[in-house]
Amino acid sequence: MSGPSRAPTMADVAATAGVSLSTASLAFSGNKPVSAATRERVLSAAAQLGYTGPNPLARNLRQGRSGVVGIAVGPLSTAFRDPAALPMLDAVSQVLEREGLGLLLMGEGDEHAALPLDAVIYDICGRETWDAYADLAARDVPVVVVEGPSWPGSTFIDIEHHAGATALARHLHDLGHRRVATVTLAPSHPQREREAGLREVFPDAAVVGACESDLTAAQELVGPWLDHGPGATAVVCQSDVQAAGVVLEARRRGLDVPGDLSVAGFDGVATPWLDLELTTVVQPLAEKGRAVARAVLDRISGTDTADVLLPVELRVGGSTGPARS
Amino acid sequence: MSGPSRAPTMADVAATAGVSLSTASLAFSGNKPVSAATRERVLSAAAQLGYTGPNPLARNLRQGRSGVVGIAVGPLSTAFRDPAALPMLDAVSQVLEREGLGLLLMGEGDEHAALPLDAVIYDICGRETWDAYADLAARDVPVVVVEGPSWPGSTFIDIEHHAGATALARHLHDLGHRRVATVTLAPSHPQREREAGLREVFPDAAVVGACESDLTAAQELVGPWLDHGPGATAVVCQSDVQAAGVVLEARRRGLDVPGDLSVAGFDGVATPWLDLELTTVVQPLAEKGRAVARAVLDRISGTDTADVLLPVELRVGGSTGPARS
DNA sequence: TTGTACGCGTTATCAA
DNA sequence: TTGATAACGCGTACAA
């Protein structure tokens, strides 16, 4: 066999099979019926030439789609440190994969501006603005935003931050808590909504401080506050990871949870290294991911999309109890 | 201004600017000098038409590259559950991003076979075979493999599993341990190498069992073994997460670590929720990621690549101590 | 420094 | 069911 100087193209296959280029194309794509005999001839010619199928680059240009969806999550090591991020990403990826679409990780910058993306998912709760958005909008790239912020022309997938936080607050109030503090996130849509929900019940809730959803960060934030003498009987956190940090830090100071201090989280993720189930607001992470993926598919196909608001559910665990009187 | 029926193309820009198509191309790419005056005309024509720059799809076809690198990590929720995965992924992503390359997450299947990938990183330690490999090889897509298995034509980035495991074993031996058990991984290159390294010092090390690098999995594996009466004074794990699981499970049974049982891990990741620093084999995760990214860049550019073997380092923490006599 | 012409490899339209 | 032909939008020799 003669070593081919360049990769075989579909035209080579067609020539070898003795059919026209368009027939060869149909034999591969199956977009229109082709007789079994000719398809066979085409495929065997392809095998003989070592042709590995239509060049994706050419197909993409022709069809005007790349098959790649970007997801902006910020620096990966921080984005995925919170276990709440994974189930959603997993669900998105699975749904898209089924459609032959790939998921491309984007930082926050616009280094990926030159990549052909069919759509972009924006999933950085902690950021309010996004420089790359104007670019994407100008190029008519569909954008699906997870948990705000709100930009014109985007589709939004959100959860009931406010209602969830209020339900949690009521639970604490029912337990007799009157002085409550909160560990919050950087200013953002979820942060504002959840805090507002909390204040429906505890208008005067004290803010311990803001940090990302990271165990160590939460510990460093709450430690000094605990030392200073909290003056609160319960701490409401904006994530389970933060809540776990508060639990660990409280215990380190000899406080009993929930005897001396009730601690609540948000998200509903597993914390197997904590011998305690957190009281938390469970959000449907996988369902959120599927909703995101569906919105992406709709936007790509031009179907109308509606924003989605997913319900949350209070789950009472062992980290909250009656207020110490 | 008249609403354009279709997106403007570079030809439109060139026409509006009164220059040729190739000149417009040069004005955007900067591949050859263009007079400041013409560039200015081209850019203002582009702005006027709302042209957002060269179509990436067309550019990709023309240049034969997509700017996208695939990374096969398996199901995301399991792949990133282990904190050891993130620093590497982060490093890979950062280096590639700097070159304008994007990172696309692939499952283990071949659903992404139709995507134009410039290279693929294979990073599923637990898998021995990969159906998609033959496809990629046939299409001449460069493959960089992290920690085996070994396929012809791939570039390998690996760490000193064997030496690290042996160093750890020596440490235990020096502490007087003679009866050692190991929690291992599914059969794989790292598993074989590390276990062989361990057996350099403890040829008769007992195998507790194999599980993935997951806290709960490790707990469920080691629990019954502990109940049964271990008959070992130290447990060597194949990951820090596994080791943490063993520590928690041992404590739950009233055993002191390291008083009653020494526990060692592998990786060197942070376990902030454990009030104990694990004795472990620290691998250079970020450096591994950079090596992977460099190999990818070299393979894409056609530069020769050499396999990389990165050193590891024993870090003695508080989870190992003298053997109980 | 700029313009001309061609090709990248495919899919879609239309007619046969 | 098949074939001829025209895009898709751009980069790059080559010539001017």
Side-chain angles (χ1 to χ4, degrees), chain B residues 76-267:
Chain B
L76 307 186
S77 52
T78 66
F80 298 144
R81 202 197 303 284
D82 187 339
L86 291 180
M88 199 205 91
L89 189 72
D90 208 10
V92 172
S93 145
Q94 279 180 17
V95 174
L96 293 186
E97 191 165 287
R98 217 171 293 143
E99 305 291 324
L101 296 175
L103 207 48
L104 183 136
L105 298 172
M106 308 171 70
E108 295 180 63
D110 50 1
E111 298 83 1
H112 295 300
L115 295 178
L117 301 176
D118 289 348
V120 168
I121 299 165
Y122 188 74
D123 182 30
I124 312 180
C125 302
R127 294 275 295 178
E128 292 289 57
T129 63
W130 194 24
D131 296 342
Y133 182 71
D135 255 23
L136 294 169
R139 285 161 55 195
D140 276 322
V141 178
V143 175
V144 174
V145 174
V146 186
E147 299 182 38
S150 158
W151 292 306
S154 317
T155 301
F156 296 91
I157 311 298
D158 205 354
I159 63 170
E160 295 196 322
H161 301 285
H162 190 104
T166 301
L168 177 58
R170 291 228 175 81
H171 162 70
L172 291 171
H173 194 272
D174 289 348
L175 286 171
H177 294 273
R178 293 298 178 268
R179 303 179 64 183
V180 166
T182 181
V183 170
T184 189
L185 297 164
S188 57
H189 170 72
Q191 175 269 326
R192 280 187 298 274
E193 292 285 307
R194 294 177 191 180
E195 203 169 316
L198 174 66
R199 292 192 190 285
E200 293 273 335
V201 178
F202 299 109
D204 303 322
V207 175
V208 175
C211 67
E212 46 181 329
S213 183
D214 174 79
L215 193 79
T216 306
Q219 288 178 291
E220 288 172 358
L221 178 64
V222 83
W225 180 79
L226 286 170
D227 290 335
H228 188 266
T233 58
V235 178
V236 173
C237 299
Q238 301 277 10
S239 83
D240 290 340
V241 173
Q242 287 177 336
V246 174
V247 169
L248 293 178
E249 211 61 14
R251 285 184 176 166
R252 177 183 292 183
R253 283 161 180 72
L255 294 176
D256 180 60
V257 175
D260 301 313
L261 188 70
S262 283
V263 179
F266 206 106
D267 289 341

Side-chain angles (χ1 to χ4, degrees), chain B residues 9-10 22 25 31 51 62:
Chain B
T9 152
M10 195 184 279
S22 59
S25 176
N31 283 357
Y51 179 72
R62 195 49 243 248

Side-chain angles (χ1 to χ4, degrees), chain A residues 41-322:
Chain A
R41 285 230 306 288
V42 171
L43 295 182
S44 78
Q48 176 188 337
L49 293 178
Y51 178 73
T52 52
N55 181 323
L57 257 21
R59 194 219 319 263
N60 286 351
L61 171 60
R62 189 52 242 239
Q63 306 193 133
R65 339 178 310 108
S66 67
V68 177
V69 174
I71 181 164
V73 291
L76 308 187
S77 51
T78 67
F80 298 143
R81 200 196 304 285
D82 187 338
L86 291 181
M88 197 205 91
L89 189 73
D90 208 11
V92 172
S93 146
Q94 279 181 18
V95 174
L96 293 185
E97 191 165 286
R98 216 171 294 144
E99 305 292 323
L101 297 174
L103 207 49
L104 183 137
L105 297 172
M106 309 172 68
E108 296 180 62
D110 50 1
E111 298 82 1
H112 295 299
L115 294 180
L117 301 176
D118 289 348
V120 168
I121 299 164
Y122 188 74
D123 182 31
I124 312 181
C125 303
R127 295 274 296 179
E128 292 287 59
T129 63
W130 193 23
D131 296 344
Y133 182 72
D135 256 22
L136 295 169
R139 285 162 54 197
D140 277 321
V141 177
V143 175
V144 174
V145 175
V146 186
E147 299 181 37
S150 157
W151 291 307
S154 316
T155 301
F156 296 92
I157 311 298
D158 204 355
I159 63 169
E160 294 197 320
H161 302 286
H162 190 104
T166 300
L168 178 58
R170 291 228 177 82
H171 161 71
L172 291 172
H173 194 272
D174 289 347
L175 286 172
H177 294 273
R178 294 297 178 270
R179 302 179 65 183
V180 166
T182 181
V183 171
T184 189
L185 297 164
S188 57
H189 170 71
Q191 175 270 327
R192 280 188 298 274
E193 292 286 307
R194 296 179 191 178
E195 204 169 316
L198 174 67
R199 290 191 191 286
E200 293 274 334
V201 178
F202 299 109
D204 302 323
V207 175
V208 175
C211 68
E212 45 180 331
S213 183
D214 174 79
L215 193 81
T216 307
Q219 287 179 291
E220 288 171 357
L221 178 65
V222 83
W225 180 79
L226 287 170
D227 289 335
H228 188 266
T233 58
V235 178
V236 172
C237 299
Q238 303 275 9
S239 82
D240 291 340
V241 173
Q242 287 177 336
V246 174
V247 169
L248 293 178
E249 210 62 15
R251 285 183 177 167
R252 178 183 292 182
R253 282 160 180 75
L255 295 176
D256 179 61
V257 175
D260 299 316
L261 188 70
S262 283
V263 179
F266 206 107
D267 288 341
V269 303
T271 50
W273 30 268
L274 206 62
D275 56 353
L276 185 67
E277 200 187 7
L278 291 170
T279 293
T280 189
V281 176
V282 183
Q283 58 165 311
L285 294 168
E287 182 52 44
K288 189 168 71 172
R290 286 190 290 270
V292 168
R294 278 194 299 267
V296 166
L297 295 175
D298 286 347
R299 292 289 304 266
I300 288 180
S301 69
T303 311
D304 280 345
T305 63
D307 294 350
V308 174
L309 184 60
L310 294 167
V312 298
E313 188 182 342
L314 174 66
R315 184 169 69 204
V316 176
S319 66
T320 52

